[in-house]
Amino acid sequence: MRKALWLIALAVAAGIPGSGYAQWYGSTDFLLPSRSVPENRSYQHNIVVTTSTSNTGVVTTTRTIGTDNLLNVDVGSVAAGRAIVGYQGGYFGIEGGFMSTDTWNSYGSISDPNAQLASPFSAAGEIPNNLYDFNTFAEINYQTRLQSAEINLTYLLYDDISCQASCKFGLRALWLDEAFTYHTTNDPPPLDLSTTNVNWSLDVQNQMLGPQVGLRGYTEAPGGRIGLNVLGGYAYNQIDRSQVFNSVPTTFNTSEGAFFGELGTEYVLMPTPNLQIKIGFQFFGLSNVGLALDNPRLSNDQTDSVWYYMPYLGIGGSF
């Protein structure tokens, strides 16, 4: 599907003839996106040890899973690039674009020589499981990447010296690829009697395709213009999950209807009528996507929403 969309994007170069003025345009943007992380995704908890003494002097030790979140995923910002090329012929035009982020990487680890760490597979208040709780060491590594390709028909709604407004209708493909690895060493009581390892890896691929519609407007500002862009769409999302838990592989594939939306604003400096320097900020959101951060041992079809926050700087031109 990615190869086909590249061919569609190249087809933009053919242009669409129109009446009135006509121009080619294009831009390249450098983005610095950050990404949200779903709440309640901790991968180690504490083990609460309670000791009581009966009337006869018998000492009883009870262990339960606590509520402290001790190992969490923290993603920062990565670099991303976006390219747009289009042709406006009178009122109608065609536009194609491609955006790709670098890969987010989040690594974390924790250790406890007393083996008082519990896995995410046990719930708070439960008795620890000897097979994957009582951990002396735990580490996680999370990776995620987003790509997008789109092709749109544009229509000029309003155009004069001080402002311009247009709409677009098109097709968009999105790929959200994720990977997560989890490793622990556990040592159930009595300590140092026997230790085991838990190794869990999960890969998730979201492949989305669907229609979109958007509005874009500009108004005159000192030295250039200020723009606002809003867009929304709905896509079929094929979610492919594959995991390996202690050398046992499984796959489970589902499909969902995913909503996506975009809101952005930018200031465009125009040193010449055909040269543009852009600085802006954009929000982009996805719903009903599968994440590697979800726990497939609890739910194989769990989906979440994610948000991206992207300041960007770009350069563009028209002729």
Side-chain angles (χ1 to χ4, degrees):
M1 184 167 61
R2 300 192 194 196
K3 183 177 179 180
L5 282 161
W6 272 113
L7 293 175
I8 293 174
L10 290 174
V12 174
I16 290 183
S19 60
Y21 78 93
Q23 66 175 357
W24 289 92
Y25 61 90
S27 66
T28 301
D29 301 331
F30 170 77
L31 306 94
L32 194 65
S34 300
R35 211 204 82 165
S36 65
V37 175
E39 297 179 354
N40 303 318
R41 297 293 189 278
S42 182
Y43 295 93
Q44 288 295 287
H45 301 281
N46 63 314
I47 295 178
V48 179
V49 181
T50 304
T51 303
S52 60
T53 304
S54 67
N55 295 333
T56 59
V58 178
V59 178
T60 303
T61 300
T62 304
R63 296 176 176 86
T64 56
I65 306 298
T67 58
D68 292 348
N69 297 326
L70 304 178
L71 185 58
N72 305 307
V73 169
D74 182 20
V75 294
S77 299
V78 299
R82 176 173 59 198
I84 297 172
V85 61
Y87 180 82
Q88 188 72 35
Y91 287 102
F92 292 93
I94 187 169
E95 180 182 279
F98 180 79
M99 187 275 293
S100 178
T101 72
D102 198 356
T103 300
W104 277 270
N105 287 280
S106 177
Y107 174 84
S109 65
I110 188 173
S111 60
D112 183 351
N114 296 317
Q116 299 301 301
L117 300 173
S119 75
F121 310 128
S122 299
E126 293 182 347
I127 297 174
N129 188 301
N130 285 354
L131 295 178
Y132 41 77
D133 294 322
F134 298 108
N135 297 319
T136 57
F137 175 76
E139 64 179 347
I140 57 174
N141 189 40
Y142 173 60
Q143 296 180 318
T144 178
R145 185 185 187 191
L146 176 69
Q147 293 181 297
S148 168
E150 58 184 298
I151 186 77
N152 301 288
L153 296 176
T154 64
Y155 180 75
L156 188 62
L157 298 171
Y158 183 81
D159 185 23
D160 67 14
I161 296 177
S162 61
C163 61
Q164 183 185 83
S166 63
C167 63
K168 62 181 179 181
F169 311 87
L171 188 67
R172 191 166 196 163
L174 296 130
W175 300 271
L176 176 60
D177 298 328
E178 304 226 330
F180 180 76
T181 57
Y182 171 93
H183 168 75
T184 60
T185 300
N186 77 325
D187 187 3
L191 287 175
D192 301 324
L193 183 63
S194 64
T195 62
T196 58
N197 295 318
V198 172
N199 294 288
W200 168 40
S201 63
L202 175 65
D203 292 305
V204 181
Q205 294 181 328
N206 295 267
Q207 302 173 78
M208 293 161 272
L209 181 66
Q212 65 178 10
V213 59
L215 292 171
R216 179 169 53 199
Y218 291 96
T219 187
E220 191 176 33
R225 57 185 183 173
I226 296 175
L228 180 68
N229 175 64
V230 60
L231 178 146
Y234 181 79
Y236 170 82
N237 184 16
Q238 175 64 38
I239 307 173
D240 298 331
R241 298 175 172 92
S242 60
Q243 76 162 358
V244 179
F245 191 88
N246 283 351
S247 302
V248 179
T250 56
T251 59
F252 31 93
N253 304 326
T254 59
S255 60
E256 297 283 347
F259 289 95
F260 59 90
E262 181 179 300
L263 176 64
T265 184
E266 64 183 13
Y267 171 72
V268 182
L269 178 65
M270 303 180 67
T272 71
N274 299 105
L275 178 63
Q276 304 173 356
I277 299 173
K278 306 184 295 180
I279 182 170
F281 195 89
Q282 178 180 313
F283 296 93
F284 183 76
L286 284 166
S287 72
N288 290 342
V289 292
L291 302 181
L293 295 176
D294 294 332
N295 189 340
R297 294 177 63 80
L298 302 179
S299 174
N300 289 346
D301 58 358
Q302 183 177 352
T303 59
D304 278 292
S305 298
V306 291
W307 286 94
Y308 297 85
Y309 316 90
M310 312 182 203
Y312 63 89
L313 179 68
I315 185 170
S318 59
F319 60 93

